[in-house]
Amino acid sequence: MLAIIIHLVFIILTWWAISAIKWEAIMKQGKVAQIRLFMVLLTLTISSAVSNFFLNYLQYTSNLTFFFHK
């Protein structure tokens, strides 16, 4: 359940950050559907990488207790 929540939070945060970019100035004019699709794919890619890093970090830190426990 924690992994689902973390993935959703990072998807929302990434979409929020990516939507601040003026894509119309970067991409061709009149290509709204392609820009939206690119934004969705970019959001999923970035949020997946960041949330996996965060979840791995949580797992590694929880495994440290087993490393130092006698």
Side-chain angles (χ1 to χ4, degrees):
M1 185 70 176
L2 179 64
I4 294 172
I5 293 171
I6 288 175
H7 282 298
L8 288 175
V9 166
F10 280 112
I11 288 172
I12 292 167
L13 287 174
T14 306
W15 180 261
W16 175 70
I18 285 177
S19 64
I21 299 172
K22 288 188 174 186
W23 293 103
E24 293 80 15
I26 300 170
M27 304 274 201
K28 291 182 179 178
Q29 298 294 327
K31 302 288 185 176
V32 177
Q34 286 95 341
I35 293 171
R36 291 289 176 182
L37 177 62
F38 179 74
M39 288 175 62
V40 168
L41 294 175
L42 188 63
T43 297
L44 292 175
T45 303
I46 293 172
S47 64
S48 175
V50 173
S51 62
N52 284 332
F53 171 80
F54 188 76
L55 289 170
N56 285 338
Y57 183 80
L58 285 177
Q59 182 181 7
Y60 296 152
T61 56
S62 67
N63 289 342
L64 282 176
T65 59
F66 297 117
F67 182 69
F68 291 115
H69 189 263
K70 291 185 178 185

